[in-house]
Amino acid sequence: MSRFWNRRAAGLSPYVPGEQPQIAGLIKLNTNEHPLAPSPEAMAVLSGIKGELLRRYPDPAAQALRDAIAEAEGVAPDCVFAGNGSDDVLAHAFLGLLDPAIPVTVPAITYSFYPVWAQLCEVPLQRVPLTDAFTLDLAKLNESEGPILLANPNAPTGLAITREEIAGLAGSNRDRLVIVDEAYFGFGAESAAPLVHEFDNVLVTRTLSKSHALAGLRVGYAIGASELIEGLVRVKDSFNSYPIDAIAQQVATAAIQDQDWFAAASKQVADWRDELAETLTAMGFRVLPSSANFLFVEHATHSGASVFDALRDARVLVRRWDKPGIDNWLRITVGNEAENAALVAALAEILSR
Ligand SMILES: *Cc1c(COP(=O)(O)O)cnc(C)c1O
């Protein structure tokens, strides 16, 4: 606390990201990073970057990147907003599209950054509990008058709803904005992006962090009606005109254009995920059916906290929240074959104690 903090800074409870420890030999399965190397085409662009690119300011509109996304999604470029990771894009949505006078409805268990942005932007939150099966309570979400923000698949459960269910939320009240956070795009959930042609009240956000193995690059984007996108651009141009640096713009553009890498890498992760889910189930874990690159699991006899600590001692890092309803659960990122095997070996030893 400092006497120089203003009321806003003093009132914040900032988001706590998953640890990024620099420990050699650590099996890091705690922040849902992609287990494969990024697209070789994107890496080739990175290798070719010249100093001249950095002498100039980057394109404030990130036009080439937005054109590539627009082409991949079959929308116009003015229906695409690009930002500095999807956290940045979602923060723009809170600032430009949500209103301090109208509560935004979110699932009670979801991405824990939503309440942080709500606090920063002074937007009230209305939390709708999940069902007993950890699924979204669509009927209750639908009762809200104001905007809805949800992650699909949800975090940290990994459970997805269908595009038709999202269309149901958007169609039953066209004055209600529905923001769909598709951070885990590619790993199995249906995307709501095609809905933007029909619904001007649907905004889809995505990130290259998970789907494209580029968490360190910090690029995310939104797809929606051009008027929604313009609202985000107005916020961007009132805060930081150049959020995406020149290197990130070029690398991300190549990554988006390498659709073969994306398809193959997404399928590989989904295959590893399904294998790991089977193995963990056989070891006595309840495993929620995941459409993401992580599994949300609870053991029948060993507490989440004890397994978390024992894995940490075995140099395997996963994620756990001390929150009512999910405090006995672990979220485990799907790693590569060697990482998943190391996880399973550590768990086998822990569970046999
Ligand atoms: C990881 C994640 C994000 C943010 O990703 P960025 O790295 O900021 O692009 C947003 N929403 C959910 C649900 C996530 O899991």
Side-chain angles (χ1 to χ4, degrees), residues 21 146 159 196 215 222 225 244 266 289 339 344:
L159 298 175
V196 307
I244 315 182
S266 303
E339 290 169 323
V344 168

Side-chain angles (χ1 to χ4, degrees), residues 85-88 90 111 114 151 155 181 183-184 207 209-210 218-220:
S86 64
D87 283 346
D88 181 59
L90 286 160
Y111 186 38
Y114 301 157
D181 175 352
Y184 297 97
T207 173
S209 298
K210 279 76 178 233
R218 310 305 304 133
V219 175

Side-chain angles (χ1 to χ4, degrees), residues 76-226:
D78 66 355
C79 296
V80 178
F81 176 80
N84 205 203
S86 64
D87 283 346
D88 181 59
V89 174
L90 286 160
H92 280 69
F94 267 83
L95 276 170
L97 304 176
L98 302 183
D99 193 313
I102 307 172
V104 58
T105 299
V106 298
I109 292 173
T110 189
Y111 186 38
S112 40
F113 218 136
Y114 301 157
V116 178
W117 290 312
Q119 191 178 47
L120 177 68
C121 303
E122 301 181 340
V123 174
L125 273 191
Q126 187 168 303
R127 296 166 199 257
V128 171
L130 300 184
T131 70
D132 291 342
F134 290 100
T135 57
L136 298 187
D137 191 334
L138 289 169
K140 285 262 165 52
L141 286 171
N142 206 14
E143 280 168 17
S144 77
E145 295 272 314
I148 296 174
L149 166 60
L150 54 86
N152 193 41
N154 196 17
T157 63
L159 298 175
I161 57 175
T162 64
R163 181 182 304 140
E164 210 170 305
E165 286 169 321
I166 293 168
L169 293 174
S172 70
N173 177 356
R174 289 186 176 248
D175 292 325
R176 168 172 66 203
L177 179 63
V178 179
I179 304 177
V180 186
D181 175 352
E182 296 188 352
Y184 297 97
F185 172 62
F187 300 121
E190 283 180 3
S191 173
L195 297 179
V196 307
H197 297 287
E198 191 185 341
F199 296 99
D200 67 356
N201 57 330
V202 171
L203 185 77
V204 173
T205 65
R206 296 208 190 132
T207 173
L208 273 62
S209 298
K210 279 76 178 233
S211 59
H212 286 75
L214 290 169
L217 196 68
R218 310 305 304 133
V219 175
Y221 60 94
I223 304 166
S226 57

Side-chain angles (χ1 to χ4, degrees), residues 281-303:
T281 304
M283 297 174 90
F285 283 95
R286 176 178 170 199
V287 181
L288 296 188
S290 171
S291 298
N293 67 338
F294 59 81
L295 294 171
F296 199 51
V297 306
E298 179 188 43
H299 198 264
T301 53
H302 289 61
S303 78

